[in-house]
Amino acid sequence: MRTEIATLGEFGLIDRLTEGIKLENESSKYGVGDDAAVLSYPSEKQILVTTDLLMEGVHFDLTYVPLKHLGYKSAVVNFSDIYAMNGTPRQITVSLGVSKRFSVEDMDELYAGIRLACQQYNVDIVGGDTTSSLTGLTISITCIGDADKDKVVYRNGAKETDLICVSGDLGGAYMGLQLLEREKSVLKGEKDVQPDFTGKEYLLERQLKPEARKDIIEKLAAANIIPTSMMDVSDGLSSELMHICKQSNAGCRVYEEHIPIDYQTAVMAEEFNMNLTTCAMNGGEDYELLFTVPIAEHEKVSQMEGIRLIGHITKPELGCALVTRDGQEFELKAQGWNPLKEDK
Ligand SMILES: [Mg+2]
């Protein structure tokens, strides 16, 4: 079944997509339906705002990304940025640019993913806009959240001797992308490999349905730990470490042997003949949390499940480096995935 968007019109489409939305957060006073949403935050809170723009062909490829997954991911990556400030996401607005290629049913799918993510993370959709685009699909989501005034964590607070921690494992989302790209070239007849995703489900999930680390923020709060700096790993560990060090006026040493990598990621890197450490350091889109804590918290963080100590902060003069298993030091380079830097 395919219904042209024109048959509903812009307002009809918005009505359909936002039908039945119930507001869950106390700070959401009024959502979709007027000229603006109304939010009300208590004065002891700091309000966090983040926004993300995704363009078809640049940030996502619909030949292998289902629309529902795309909706889910585009919401979750925004939540991840709010958690990375040690906050809690509360509301989003969703703006879409949609070409004629897409039907009302396509938008239902996309929105189903966005709404599922909101349900999962207890976030309210409070507004947005839909407009026609000449080519492709554009998704812009803005997320609003809050944090206790004295608990917001920035990128610039890392101090010499602080421990560097990361949640989960790294490189999986990148390997998932390689796998999907290979599948795509097989479908196009460019490559002659039988696509087989058996045993690689975790990698696909990391790429197609990432989660934001709400649980880590909760664990840290429960353990009474406020990181000195934090950010989420969207462009790759190397690049994020350099952001933290630059903004904190510090250097760092991270140890190759401590970088958390899943077994499936390692198998895949070998299959693709790629350097595993490079994949984990530069892969990106893992949406794990990278943070620093004072050395006094060593015992507490080292016992926390799902968190790995990977190195420490140094004086700025020492620069940022990866220490390999045989003790060699390599200066970190940001090879992060940044479409603006690529010349294609
Ligand atoms: Mg971020």
Side-chain angles (χ1 to χ4, degrees):
M1 159 117 181
R2 180 188 165 98
T3 314
E4 296 299 326
I5 290 174
T7 61
L8 287 182
E10 186 197 331
F11 299 118
L13 180 64
I14 291 176
D15 281 351
R16 175 179 170 129
L17 297 176
T18 58
E19 198 192 321
I21 286 180
K22 284 196 196 69
L23 302 179
E24 302 288 345
N25 288 281
E26 237 186 275
S27 50
S28 308
K29 291 297 166 201
Y30 196 89
V32 179
D34 213 307
D35 297 294
V38 181
L39 309 181
S40 178
Y41 280 94
S43 60
E44 69 272 15
K45 294 285 185 184
Q46 209 76 283
I47 301 166
L48 311 168
V49 182
T50 180
T51 193
D52 199 42
L53 177 65
L54 300 173
M55 309 277 289
E56 183 178 359
V58 179
H59 302 100
F60 58 88
D61 186 335
L62 291 173
T63 49
Y64 52 69
V65 180
L67 281 163
K68 191 173 175 183
H69 283 81
L70 179 62
Y72 191 89
K73 183 171 175 176
S74 48
V76 161
V77 301
N78 278 279
F79 304 161
S80 179
D81 276 325
I82 299 286
Y83 292 124
M85 301 298 290
N86 202 27
T88 307
R90 304 287 184 191
Q91 291 92 17
I92 57 168
T93 63
V94 180
S95 298
L96 304 174
V98 192
S99 78
K100 283 207 185 81
R101 210 175 90 225
F102 297 92
S103 65
V104 170
E105 289 75 18
D106 289 334
M107 291 304 103
D108 285 346
E109 276 296 294
L110 181 73
Y111 243 77
I114 296 173
R115 289 177 69 154
L116 179 64
C118 286
Q119 211 183 325
Q120 215 87 183
Y121 290 85
N122 198 37
V123 173
D124 297 322
I125 299 175
V126 294
D129 196 12
T130 307
T131 182
S132 55
S133 106
L134 294 179
T135 53
L137 176 64
T138 302
I139 308 168
S140 171
I141 294 186
T142 296
C143 184
I144 301 143
D146 63 10
D148 288 341
K149 271 198 170 140
D150 50 348
K151 291 185 182 146
V152 178
V153 177
Y154 298 87
R155 295 175 181 182
N156 62 10
K159 301 267 182 314
E160 193 189 341
T161 75
D162 278 359
L163 304 171
I164 304 172
C165 311
V166 73
S167 65
D169 58 80
L170 301 173
Y174 179 72
M175 278 299 138
L177 181 66
Q178 299 309 309
L179 202 56
L180 289 162
E181 285 284 347
R182 183 175 72 180
E183 159 90 332
K184 186 180 156 185
S185 37
V186 169
L187 289 175
K188 280 202 213 146
E190 288 169 5
K191 277 207 184 102
D192 187 28
V193 186
Q194 204 51 35
D196 183 9
F197 293 150
T198 318
K200 296 171 176 122
E201 295 83 0
Y202 178 69
L203 303 177
L204 294 182
E205 200 179 297
R206 293 293 282 171
Q207 173 56 225
L208 294 174
K209 195 173 176 286
E211 300 292 350
R213 297 313 301 262
K214 178 183 195 216
D215 57 327
I216 298 292
I217 295 304
E218 289 167 352
K219 269 187 198 171
L220 289 171
N224 248 322
I225 298 172
I226 301 177
T228 49
S229 70
M230 182 156 57
M231 64 187 295
D232 63 336
V233 183
S234 51
D235 290 334
L237 183 64
S238 265
S239 152
E240 321 300 17
L241 277 168
M242 289 174 71
H243 279 300
I244 283 183
C245 287
K246 188 176 174 205
Q247 294 196 27
S248 301
N249 187 32
C252 71
R253 287 294 174 278
V254 288
Y255 296 85
E256 185 180 25
E257 62 189 316
H258 296 314
I259 307 291
I261 296 169
D262 185 80
Y263 174 73
Q264 289 191 21
T265 308
V267 169
M268 216 43 230
E270 195 171 325
E271 206 177 312
F272 277 114
N273 217 353
M274 286 174 164
N275 182 294
L276 181 57
T277 304
T278 308
C279 293
M281 293 295 293
N282 300 295
E285 290 200 286
D286 290 309
Y287 299 103
E288 295 296 343
L289 290 171
L290 169 69
F291 56 93
T292 54
V293 296
I295 196 163
E297 307 283 17
H298 180 270
E299 208 178 317
K300 273 202 253 172
V301 284
S302 57
Q303 284 167 8
M304 288 172 87
E305 212 186 311
I307 291 176
R308 188 76 76 85
L309 295 178
I310 58 168
H312 58 267
I313 297 292
T314 65
K315 286 187 175 59
E317 305 86 81
L318 295 176
C320 299
L322 174 76
V323 183
T324 59
R325 285 187 175 81
D326 54 9
Q328 286 193 71
E329 290 195 358
F330 286 94
E331 199 191 328
L332 291 187
K333 287 196 185 76
Q335 302 168 345
W337 187 79
N338 181 346
L340 295 179
K341 275 192 214 146
E342 274 176 87
D343 43 4
K344 53 172 175 187

